[in-house]
Amino acid sequence: MAIVVEHDKRRAEILKKSLEVFVEEGYDDVTFQKIADRCGITRTTLYIYFKNKREIFLWSIKQLTGSIELKIREVITDKAITATSALRQMLDIIVGACEENRELFSVLLSYLLNLSKTGGDPSERVRRRLVRLQHLLSTIIIKGVKNGEFKQVNVKSANEMLYGLIQSAIFRLSVLGEKDIRDVRDSLNLAVDGLLKV
Protein backbone atom coordinates (compact mmCIF):
# COMPACT_ATOMS: atom_id res chain seq x y z
CA MET A 1 0.00 0.00 0.00
CA ALA A 2 1.35 3.43 -0.96
CA ILE A 3 2.11 5.96 1.74
CA VAL A 4 0.20 9.21 1.35
CA VAL A 5 2.32 12.26 2.08
CA GLU A 6 0.71 15.60 2.81
CA HIS A 7 3.29 17.79 1.11
CA ASP A 8 2.10 21.13 2.54
CA LYS A 9 2.11 19.72 6.05
CA ARG A 10 5.55 18.17 5.58
CA ARG A 11 6.91 21.42 4.12
CA ALA A 12 5.64 23.34 7.17
CA GLU A 13 7.22 20.77 9.51
CA ILE A 14 10.54 21.01 7.66
CA LEU A 15 10.48 24.80 7.96
CA LYS A 16 9.69 24.69 11.66
CA LYS A 17 12.40 22.15 12.46
CA SER A 18 14.97 23.80 10.23
CA LEU A 19 14.39 27.10 12.02
CA GLU A 20 15.36 25.32 15.26
CA VAL A 21 18.56 24.09 13.59
CA PHE A 22 19.41 27.59 12.32
CA VAL A 23 18.89 29.04 15.80
CA GLU A 24 21.00 26.33 17.47
CA GLU A 25 23.81 26.17 14.92
CA GLY A 26 23.88 29.59 13.26
CA TYR A 27 23.31 30.09 9.55
CA ASP A 28 26.88 29.31 8.43
CA ASP A 29 27.13 26.02 10.34
CA VAL A 30 23.84 24.56 9.15
CA THR A 31 24.03 21.99 6.40
CA PHE A 32 21.37 20.31 4.33
CA GLN A 33 22.26 17.07 6.11
CA LYS A 34 21.71 18.58 9.56
CA ILE A 35 18.27 19.80 8.49
CA ALA A 36 17.40 16.41 6.99
CA ASP A 37 18.55 14.65 10.17
CA ARG A 38 16.44 16.94 12.39
CA CYS A 39 13.42 16.31 10.17
CA GLY A 40 13.95 12.55 10.15
CA ILE A 41 14.21 12.40 6.37
CA THR A 42 16.95 11.85 3.82
CA ARG A 43 18.72 14.65 1.98
CA THR A 44 17.16 13.34 -1.23
CA THR A 45 13.69 13.78 0.25
CA LEU A 46 14.63 17.26 1.46
CA TYR A 47 15.61 18.17 -2.12
CA ILE A 48 12.03 17.43 -3.18
CA TYR A 49 10.91 20.42 -1.11
CA PHE A 50 13.87 22.81 -1.23
CA LYS A 51 16.91 23.27 -3.43
CA ASN A 52 19.34 24.54 -0.73
CA LYS A 53 19.63 25.77 2.85
CA ARG A 54 19.30 29.40 1.78
CA GLU A 55 15.89 28.70 0.31
CA ILE A 56 14.84 26.88 3.49
CA PHE A 57 16.02 29.79 5.63
CA LEU A 58 14.18 32.37 3.53
CA TRP A 59 10.99 30.30 3.55
CA SER A 60 11.29 29.95 7.34
CA ILE A 61 11.48 33.74 7.69
CA LYS A 62 8.56 34.11 5.29
CA GLN A 63 6.52 31.66 7.37
CA LEU A 64 7.31 33.63 10.55
CA THR A 65 6.43 37.03 9.04
CA GLY A 66 3.32 35.48 7.51
CA SER A 67 2.08 34.29 10.89
CA ILE A 68 2.71 37.75 12.38
CA GLU A 69 0.87 39.35 9.47
CA LEU A 70 -2.09 37.01 9.97
CA LYS A 71 -2.43 38.02 13.64
CA ILE A 72 -2.22 41.69 12.69
CA ARG A 73 -4.86 41.33 9.99
CA GLU A 74 -7.21 39.81 12.56
CA VAL A 75 -6.79 42.92 14.70
CA ILE A 76 -7.19 45.34 11.78
CA THR A 77 -10.35 43.72 10.47
CA ASP A 78 -12.05 43.76 13.87
CA LYS A 79 -14.55 46.61 13.50
CA ALA A 80 -15.05 46.82 17.28
CA ILE A 81 -11.44 47.90 17.85
CA THR A 82 -10.43 51.56 17.58
CA ALA A 83 -7.44 52.56 15.48
CA THR A 84 -5.55 53.44 18.65
CA SER A 85 -6.18 50.03 20.17
CA ALA A 86 -5.40 48.29 16.86
CA LEU A 87 -2.09 50.16 16.58
CA ARG A 88 -1.08 49.30 20.14
CA GLN A 89 -2.04 45.64 19.60
CA MET A 90 -0.15 45.50 16.30
CA LEU A 91 3.00 46.89 17.87
CA ASP A 92 2.63 44.49 20.79
CA ILE A 93 2.29 41.53 18.39
CA ILE A 94 5.45 42.57 16.54
CA VAL A 95 7.55 43.21 19.64
CA GLY A 96 6.25 39.99 21.20
CA ALA A 97 7.32 38.06 18.11
CA CYS A 98 10.74 39.73 18.31
CA GLU A 99 11.13 38.65 21.93
CA GLU A 100 9.98 35.10 21.20
CA ASN A 101 12.39 34.81 18.27
CA ARG A 102 15.39 36.71 19.62
CA GLU A 103 17.81 33.90 18.67
CA LEU A 104 16.45 33.85 15.14
CA PHE A 105 17.23 37.53 14.72
CA SER A 106 20.86 36.82 15.63
CA VAL A 107 20.94 34.21 12.86
CA LEU A 108 19.21 36.63 10.50
CA LEU A 109 21.80 39.31 11.29
CA SER A 110 24.59 36.87 10.45
CA TYR A 111 22.83 35.94 7.20
CA LEU A 112 22.38 39.61 6.21
CA LEU A 113 26.01 40.47 7.01
CA ASN A 114 27.16 37.51 4.91
CA LEU A 115 24.84 38.61 2.11
CA SER A 116 26.38 42.08 2.21
CA LYS A 117 29.92 40.65 2.08
CA THR A 118 29.06 38.65 -1.03
CA GLY A 119 27.67 41.68 -2.86
CA GLY A 120 24.00 41.15 -2.06
CA ASP A 121 21.62 43.87 -0.92
CA PRO A 122 20.45 43.17 2.65
CA SER A 123 18.19 46.24 2.75
CA GLU A 124 16.28 44.96 -0.29
CA ARG A 125 15.81 41.55 1.36
CA VAL A 126 14.51 43.11 4.57
CA ARG A 127 12.28 45.55 2.70
CA ARG A 128 10.66 42.76 0.66
CA ARG A 129 9.90 40.77 3.82
CA LEU A 130 8.47 43.73 5.73
CA VAL A 131 6.69 45.78 3.07
CA ARG A 132 3.31 44.25 3.88
CA LEU A 133 3.75 44.81 7.60
CA GLN A 134 4.63 48.44 6.95
CA HIS A 135 1.57 48.74 4.71
CA LEU A 136 -0.62 47.42 7.52
CA LEU A 137 0.95 49.92 9.90
CA SER A 138 0.15 52.73 7.46
CA THR A 139 -3.40 51.43 7.08
CA ILE A 140 -4.01 51.75 10.82
CA ILE A 141 -2.47 55.23 10.95
CA ILE A 142 -4.63 56.38 8.02
CA LYS A 143 -7.73 54.93 9.68
CA GLY A 144 -6.91 56.78 12.90
CA VAL A 145 -6.42 60.07 11.06
CA LYS A 146 -9.65 59.66 9.07
CA ASN A 147 -11.80 58.83 12.08
CA GLY A 148 -10.35 61.64 14.17
CA GLU A 149 -8.41 59.57 16.71
CA PHE A 150 -5.01 60.71 15.43
CA LYS A 151 -3.68 64.14 14.55
CA GLN A 152 -3.22 65.05 10.91
CA VAL A 153 0.26 63.57 10.50
CA ASN A 154 2.49 62.58 7.66
CA VAL A 155 1.70 58.86 7.48
CA LYS A 156 5.09 57.95 6.05
CA SER A 157 6.92 59.79 8.84
CA ALA A 158 4.73 58.22 11.55
CA ASN A 159 5.33 54.80 10.00
CA GLU A 160 9.10 55.42 9.91
CA MET A 161 9.12 56.50 13.56
CA LEU A 162 7.30 53.37 14.74
CA TYR A 163 9.31 51.12 12.42
CA GLY A 164 12.54 52.64 13.77
CA LEU A 165 11.51 51.76 17.32
CA ILE A 166 10.76 48.19 16.21
CA GLN A 167 14.21 48.00 14.60
CA SER A 168 15.68 49.23 17.87
CA ALA A 169 13.97 46.36 19.69
CA ILE A 170 15.36 43.83 17.22
CA PHE A 171 18.88 45.31 17.53
CA ARG A 172 18.75 45.28 21.31
CA LEU A 173 17.52 41.68 21.40
CA SER A 174 19.78 40.19 18.73
CA VAL A 175 22.98 42.25 18.93
CA LEU A 176 23.06 43.56 22.48
CA GLY A 177 21.48 40.42 23.94
CA GLU A 178 19.09 42.33 26.16
CA LYS A 179 16.46 40.17 27.81
CA ASP A 180 14.07 42.91 28.86
CA ILE A 181 12.89 45.51 26.36
CA ARG A 182 10.04 46.99 28.35
CA ASP A 183 11.44 50.44 27.66
CA VAL A 184 11.00 49.83 23.92
CA ARG A 185 7.35 48.95 24.56
CA ASP A 186 7.07 52.12 26.65
CA SER A 187 8.62 54.13 23.80
CA LEU A 188 6.17 52.66 21.30
CA ASN A 189 3.25 53.53 23.56
CA LEU A 190 4.62 57.05 24.00
CA ALA A 191 4.89 57.35 20.21
CA VAL A 192 1.27 56.23 19.83
CA ASP A 193 0.26 58.74 22.53
CA GLY A 194 1.97 61.43 20.43
CA LEU A 195 -0.29 60.59 17.49
CA LEU A 196 -3.48 61.01 19.51
CA LYS A 197 -5.68 64.05 19.13
CA VAL A 198 -5.91 65.87 22.43
Side-chain angles (χ1 to χ4, degrees):
M1 184 164 119
I3 297 173
V4 177
V5 177
E6 296 179 48
H7 290 287
D8 290 340
K9 184 178 178 183
R10 180 173 268 183
R11 179 184 275 271
E13 288 171 5
I14 290 169
L15 291 173
K16 182 180 179 200
K17 289 180 180 180
S18 65
L19 206 47
E20 294 168 1
V21 178
F22 282 116
V23 167
E24 291 169 13
E25 303 272 340
Y27 181 81
D28 291 333
D29 293 333
V30 171
T31 64
F32 225 54
Q33 186 62 55
K34 286 180 181 179
I35 294 170
D37 290 345
R38 176 66 60 95
C39 296
I41 58 177
T42 65
R43 279 179 33 173
T44 306
T45 302
L46 189 55
Y47 277 113
I48 293 170
Y49 297 94
F50 302 98
K51 60 184 175 187
N52 54 41
K53 79 172 184 179
R54 182 175 163 271
E55 183 180 40
I56 294 172
F57 184 68
L58 295 177
W59 271 96
S60 297
I61 299 298
K62 185 176 181 179
Q63 184 170 303
L64 174 65
T65 57
S67 69
I68 294 169
E69 182 183 336
L70 186 63
K71 290 176 187 175
I72 292 169
R73 285 190 184 279
E74 288 174 11
V75 170
I76 290 176
T77 57
D78 188 340
K79 303 290 185 204
I81 299 176
T82 65
T84 305
S85 180
L87 182 56
R88 290 187 198 280
Q89 286 182 45
M90 176 184 184
L91 295 170
D92 192 56
I93 289 168
I94 293 170
V95 172
C98 293
E99 286 179 304
E100 289 172 21
N101 296 284
R102 73 179 74 235
E103 294 88 4
L104 172 62
F105 285 109
S106 297
V107 176
L108 185 57
L109 177 65
S110 172
Y111 168 78
L112 293 172
L113 288 171
N114 191 35
L115 182 66
S116 181
K117 287 178 188 174
T118 59
D121 184 0
S123 65
E124 174 61 19
R125 287 288 162 97
V126 171
R127 188 194 66 72
R128 276 193 287 162
R129 288 285 163 251
L130 298 178
V131 70
R132 291 201 311 244
L133 291 175
Q134 285 187 295
H135 174 73
L136 294 172
L137 188 57
S138 292
T139 300
I140 295 173
I141 295 168
I142 291 167
K143 177 183 174 185
V145 170
K146 283 184 179 178
N147 70 17
E149 289 179 64
F150 299 154
K151 299 172 189 172
Q152 289 292 326
V153 294
N154 180 303
V155 174
K156 184 177 180 186
S157 296
N159 190 318
E160 283 295 319
M161 172 185 65
L162 295 170
Y163 182 66
L165 290 169
I166 293 166
Q167 286 177 320
S168 169
I170 294 169
F171 176 80
R172 292 169 69 170
L173 288 165
S174 64
V175 176
L176 302 181
E178 292 183 17
K179 304 291 183 220
D180 185 3
I181 56 168
R182 276 183 282 198
D183 51 340
V184 171
R185 288 181 189 276
D186 292 343
S187 297
L188 284 164
N189 279 316
L190 184 62
V192 173
D193 290 344
L195 295 175
L196 296 176
K197 260 190 174 175
V198 180

